[in-house]
Amino acid sequence: MNILALKNIINSTRIFTAGKSIAKLWSSSLLSAGFAFLIQILLARYLQPESYGMFMSSLVLITSLVPLVGFGVHSYWLKAFGNEGWEAMGFVKSSFRFLTRSAFIGVVAIILWAFLGGHNSSTKLVLLILLPYLLGQTFLELVNAKFQLEERFTALAIWQLMPNLLRLVLLNLCFLLVDSFSGLLGVSFIYSSVSIVVCIYGYREMKKMLNGKFTLKGHIPKHTTLNFPKKYEKQTWEVIRLTWPFGLGSLFHLIYFQSDIILLRYLYGSSEAGIYSVAFTVITASLLLPSVIYQKFLLPKLHRWSHQNLDLFHRVYKKGNLLMLIMGSFAMAVVFLSADGLIHYLFGKTYTEAVFLLKILSLNIPILFVASSVGSVLVTQEHMSLKVKIMGVVALLNIVLNIIVLPKYGGLGAACTTVMSNLLLLSLYFYSAEKKVFNKHK
């Protein structure tokens, strides 16, 4: 067997292995998104639009604080371990110190907002009951990062599947079997209960990592490198200095992608927020595939390739852009043409107004598919701060536009501002990637 044939076999094996890993993650993500979608259908059918909007706006509000807990530590781990290998263990203990302190601040912030935000008693209770959700999402992301670094894609697939599966099972049981089940508050308790389970398991996994008991893929085995001496441990302020772009990036993403639901709740009313949430749920489900490819599978590899193989890094970028454009356009056409059936059949005639909103929001799909590919290269090397600036500009524009148009146009205004914001985001991503990242390849 000649060398060329051997190389072809090796490359084919790598492609097959990568395909299997992506298939696992995509399948579990598809199931998880499917469960999340079914949960939203269940909630929309059992709760009135006002109660549904109240719950969703509270949930999105708490989700928006998740990036402030640890401020992007899990994302920075992917970059640090991808660039430095086992030496990045020096960040782990200080990361947990920072996580503990920022989690305390996040919990206090929610409690203060619940009591001082001028809410009615129901909204106040929902916000307080959902407090564990803040910590659960934090542990969910941390364990995601650990499994990605270990390339334990089966474990990652199961991990990202379980929370929504548990919520769906518990909600179905309660709605069908418990006559005295209190809709709004009961749903909040179920979300919190599942989050507590996530916290318990997540703590166990993080304790293993804290002790160095994990297998880092793509680097020299740890027994031939550092034994994690104390002199390599970093200070908490160093963690803050290095993670802030990732934390701000996540926060800005939530602002321009989900803040419409919160603003609709406070500027227009809970019922309008509920109707918009139904259309938004369909769009979120459609964005599953690029999320799996770029956030779950490729991200650790992109960090490595940006340092070790620039030609491969560039090829993945170019082919990814084209593939995402084709797939995103197809997904948009499917959602646009089936909007009436999706809303009426799945959510009921109560949410008929969401049909037109869904058709407008479907324009976001190809934009965000391509943005997933283009934006992924701006996470690597020293470009993250540039990506954060772009996201900050888009988030600011989104808030300003929403404040102007939501009081008058409600969900229609929110849908239009979302499309405009995402179009600006993609344009700035593409310009920056071409000029700052890949200019040397031209």
Side-chain angles (χ1 to χ4, degrees):
M1 183 180 293
N2 58 37
I3 295 176
L4 181 59
L6 183 61
K7 285 178 67 176
N8 288 335
I9 292 173
I10 293 172
N11 289 335
S12 298
T13 302
R14 287 175 177 171
I15 293 171
F16 178 72
T17 303
K20 277 179 61 180
S21 299
I22 291 177
K24 284 180 184 177
L25 294 176
W26 184 77
S27 298
S28 70
S29 296
L30 181 63
L31 281 172
S32 181
F35 293 151
F37 195 64
L38 290 174
I39 289 170
Q40 298 307 315
I41 293 173
L42 195 65
L43 296 180
R45 285 186 172 272
Y46 275 92
L47 301 176
Q48 291 299 313
E50 184 174 357
S51 295
Y52 180 59
M54 188 183 301
F55 175 76
M56 288 303 299
S57 61
S58 299
L59 190 67
V60 171
L61 177 64
I62 292 178
T63 303
S64 300
L65 293 178
V66 172
L68 301 180
V69 178
F71 225 57
V73 162
H74 65 285
S75 297
Y76 179 73
W77 281 354
L78 298 178
K79 180 176 182 178
F81 281 98
N83 296 345
E84 302 175 24
W86 288 99
E87 292 187 24
M89 281 299 300
F91 287 97
V92 175
K93 285 188 178 180
S94 50
S95 294
F96 284 115
R97 287 195 294 267
F98 178 43
L99 282 164
T100 301
R101 296 167 187 173
S102 56
F104 175 77
I105 294 173
V107 169
V108 171
I110 293 172
I111 294 173
L112 290 175
W113 178 244
F115 284 98
L116 303 178
H119 303 108
N120 58 34
S121 58
S122 295
T123 304
K124 189 184 302 182
L125 276 174
V126 169
L127 286 169
L128 295 176
I129 294 169
L130 286 175
L131 277 174
Y133 185 81
L134 176 70
L135 304 178
Q137 291 303 105
T138 301
F139 275 111
L140 191 67
E141 292 175 344
L142 291 171
V143 176
N144 275 344
K146 179 178 181 291
F147 287 161
Q148 284 177 268
L149 291 169
E150 295 175 313
E151 295 191 3
R152 291 170 57 191
F153 295 119
T154 300
L156 177 59
I158 296 172
W159 174 246
Q160 66 183 14
L161 179 67
M162 290 310 296
N164 283 331
L165 175 59
L166 287 174
R167 292 184 189 113
L168 181 61
V169 170
L170 291 174
L171 283 169
N172 267 300
L173 288 174
C174 289
F175 278 126
L176 295 176
L177 302 178
V178 182
D179 293 333
S180 60
F181 183 69
S182 176
L184 185 59
L185 298 182
V187 168
S188 303
F189 274 115
I190 287 175
Y191 266 73
S192 287
S193 299
V194 173
S195 294
I196 290 171
V197 174
V198 170
C199 288
I200 293 171
Y201 182 84
Y203 175 78
R204 292 175 60 189
E205 285 294 324
M206 290 301 101
K207 193 172 181 181
K208 293 178 186 177
M209 189 174 185
L210 191 62
N211 295 325
K213 296 179 181 178
F214 81 114
T215 305
L216 180 63
K217 294 292 185 179
H219 298 275
I220 300 172
K222 67 179 180 181
H223 65 270
T224 63
T225 181
L226 298 175
N227 194 27
F228 320 128
K230 267 192 168 295
K231 67 177 181 178
Y232 289 102
E233 289 187 17
K234 307 298 182 183
Q235 299 297 316
T236 303
W237 67 266
E238 291 182 86
V239 175
I240 298 172
R241 178 177 64 84
L242 293 167
T243 60
W244 71 265
F246 297 93
L248 275 183
S250 298
L251 179 63
F252 291 152
H253 168 75
L254 288 171
I255 289 174
Y256 65 71
F257 190 60
Q258 291 190 7
S259 66
D260 297 0
I261 297 173
I262 302 173
L263 292 173
L264 274 172
R265 159 73 175 82
Y266 289 100
L267 296 178
Y268 205 91
S270 296
S271 181
E272 187 76 2
I275 292 170
Y276 184 86
S277 294
V278 164
F280 182 80
T281 296
V282 178
I283 298 301
T284 301
S286 71
L287 298 174
L288 171 65
L289 185 58
S291 174
V292 170
I293 293 175
Y294 287 98
Q295 299 301 318
K296 300 292 192 307
F297 179 76
L298 277 181
L299 191 54
K301 300 177 186 297
L302 290 173
H303 284 301
R304 290 206 304 269
W305 294 335
S306 68
H307 286 271
Q308 300 172 7
N309 194 335
L310 288 175
D311 288 332
L312 177 60
F313 184 55
H314 190 220
R315 289 200 304 273
V316 170
Y317 164 78
K318 291 178 67 176
K319 292 180 180 179
N321 291 348
L322 178 60
L323 181 63
M324 289 298 104
L325 178 60
I326 294 171
M327 297 179 71
S329 299
F330 177 76
M332 177 191 70
V334 171
V335 171
F336 186 91
L337 295 174
S338 61
D340 292 86
L342 283 172
I343 298 300
H344 291 151
Y345 179 75
L346 295 176
F347 296 96
K349 293 183 178 181
T350 307
Y351 294 94
T352 299
E353 294 178 46
V355 172
F356 186 58
L357 298 181
L358 178 57
K359 290 182 177 181
I360 296 175
L361 287 172
S362 68
L363 300 175
N364 288 291
I365 298 175
I367 297 172
L368 290 174
F369 264 59
V370 180
S372 296
S373 174
V374 180
S376 66
V377 304
L378 294 175
V379 179
T380 61
Q381 296 187 19
E382 75 283 359
H383 305 298
M384 186 61 192
S385 59
L386 174 60
K387 184 179 182 182
V388 170
K389 291 176 184 176
I390 293 171
M391 297 172 83
V393 169
V394 175
L396 179 61
L397 173 68
N398 181 266
I399 290 176
V400 171
L401 289 176
N402 277 327
I403 291 174
I404 293 172
V405 304
L406 292 197
K408 184 175 181 180
Y409 297 104
L412 175 61
C416 292
T417 58
T418 299
V419 175
M420 292 173 60
S421 299
N422 288 325
L423 188 59
L424 175 63
L425 180 78
L426 175 58
S427 301
L428 294 176
Y429 274 180
F430 186 78
Y431 177 83
S432 300
E434 292 293 318
K435 294 296 182 181
K436 301 296 183 180
V437 181
F438 295 117
N439 191 43
K440 65 184 78 172
H441 288 273
K442 297 184 176 180

